[in-house]
């Protein structure tokens, strides 16, 4: 979900926090035969398992990334919020996909509480231990990529996410240093906001 939000609109100045997800359609799987290309040429027949017709309502918010003091100049909550709302309405600033590149997805604004889940009156469903997300160095201040694990429970179709720092099960993946950003290699939110809304007004 965080990856989808970053495909809709991403800046290293902000980080997304998933608050809750409502599972709208029944959780079903389907198998499809595909022909992945081999490194040495040619292809082979393989069978992949995908989610069938997944649909979610997502409630999330962004916060300024306190581990990027080099981007303080880019912290304008109002402009980031306006650009994000515009990006959601447009279906994202980049191609949006769910998990893997061949799984194209579609996003649109919604009113979370108005959406109806297939699991609306089914009580609790435990999923066991699952990946909560990845912690990147520029979001933690540690030069290591980490995987966070948790035990989510869906209650009447809604999964309420704990905050990343509340995850008790954290595993180191590999050493990693944060990428450096500055005014020379990213467009400031002020300039981006001005160019986007200048175009929208047709001036």
């Amino acid at each position: 979900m965080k990856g989808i939000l970053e495909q809709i609109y991403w800046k290293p100045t902000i980080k997304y926090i998933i608050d809750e997800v409502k599972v709208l359609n029944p959780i079903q799987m389907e198998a499809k035969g595909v022909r992945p290309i081999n490194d040495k040429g040619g292809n082979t027949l393989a069978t992949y398992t995908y989610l069938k017709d997944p649909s979610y309502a997502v409630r999330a918010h962004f916060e300024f990334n306190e581990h990027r003091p080099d981007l303080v100049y880019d912290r304008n909550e109002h402009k980031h919020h306006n650009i994000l709302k515009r990006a959601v309405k447009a279906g994202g600033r980049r191609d949006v996909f769910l998990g893997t590149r061949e799984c194209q997805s579609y996003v649109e604004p919604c009113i979370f509480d108005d959406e109806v889940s297939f699991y609306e009156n089914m009580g609790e469903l435990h999923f066991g231990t699952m990946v909560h997300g990845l912690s990147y160095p520029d979001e933690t201040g540690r030069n290591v990529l980490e995987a966070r694990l948790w035990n989510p429970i869906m209650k009447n179709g809604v999964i309420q996410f704990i905050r990343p720092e509340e995850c008790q099960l954290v595993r180191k993946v590999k050493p990693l240093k944060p990428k450096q950003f500055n005014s020379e290699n990213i467009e400031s939110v002020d300039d981006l906001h001005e160019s986007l809304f200048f175009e929208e007004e047709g001036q």
Side-chain angles (χ1 to χ4, degrees):
M1 292 301 168
K2 182 183 173 187
I4 287 176
L5 284 170
E6 290 178 345
Q7 290 158 18
I8 295 170
Y9 171 63
W10 178 81
K11 290 292 289 290
T13 316
I14 63 176
K15 60 180 181 180
Y16 289 107
I17 304 294
I18 307 299
D19 298 310
E20 50 188 341
V21 172
K22 184 178 290 187
V23 180
L24 304 183
N25 291 345
I27 300 172
Q28 297 177 316
M29 312 296 285
E30 63 180 342
K32 292 187 177 182
V34 295
R35 288 189 175 274
I37 298 174
N38 295 330
D39 293 339
K40 297 179 180 179
N43 55 42
T44 55
L45 180 62
T47 301
Y48 290 172
T49 302
Y50 298 91
L51 283 168
K52 181 179 180 180
D53 193 24
S55 182
Y56 310 100
V58 180
R59 178 176 280 149
H61 69 278
F62 69 79
E63 299 174 358
F64 289 128
N65 188 352
E66 298 299 333
H67 292 285
R68 298 307 304 237
D70 50 334
L71 298 175
V72 170
Y73 71 90
D74 199 45
R75 294 180 184 175
N76 186 316
E77 181 180 350
H78 174 71
K79 291 183 178 178
H80 281 298
H81 184 245
N82 281 347
I83 295 171
L84 177 57
K85 286 198 302 182
R86 185 182 190 272
V88 171
K89 187 176 179 180
R93 289 175 54 80
R94 293 185 288 176
D95 287 346
V96 180
F97 51 92
L98 187 62
T100 57
R101 190 64 180 82
E102 71 266 22
C103 298
Q104 289 285 332
S105 58
Y106 174 76
V107 297
E108 64 180 357
C110 73
I111 299 175
F112 187 90
D113 293 330
D114 289 351
E115 299 294 331
V116 178
S117 170
F118 175 82
Y119 300 93
E120 194 82 13
N121 300 304
M122 294 191 182
E124 293 188 355
L125 179 61
H126 295 245
F127 290 106
T129 302
M130 299 183 70
V131 175
H132 182 277
L134 296 175
S135 296
Y136 291 90
D138 63 343
E139 295 179 344
T140 64
R142 300 183 294 273
N143 290 333
V144 61
L145 175 66
E146 299 170 328
R148 304 184 308 272
L149 306 174
W150 71 317
N151 294 286
I153 300 173
M154 183 170 68
K155 297 179 180 179
N156 295 320
V158 177
I159 303 170
Q160 292 187 333
F161 279 64
I162 59 177
R163 290 183 59 88
E165 60 270 20
E166 294 174 352
C167 291
Q168 299 298 312
L169 300 173
V170 180
R171 300 290 182 265
K172 293 182 179 179
V173 178
K174 64 178 180 179
L176 190 67
K177 291 185 178 180
K179 185 175 180 179
Q180 298 303 307
F181 294 101
N182 54 51
S183 57
E184 294 182 359
N185 61 8
I186 65 167
E187 184 178 16
S188 73
V189 69
D190 297 313
D191 293 341
L192 179 58
H193 186 275
E194 182 179 351
S195 65
L196 288 175
F197 288 89
F198 184 83
E199 293 172 4
E200 192 173 81
E201 293 170 1
Q203 298 179 0

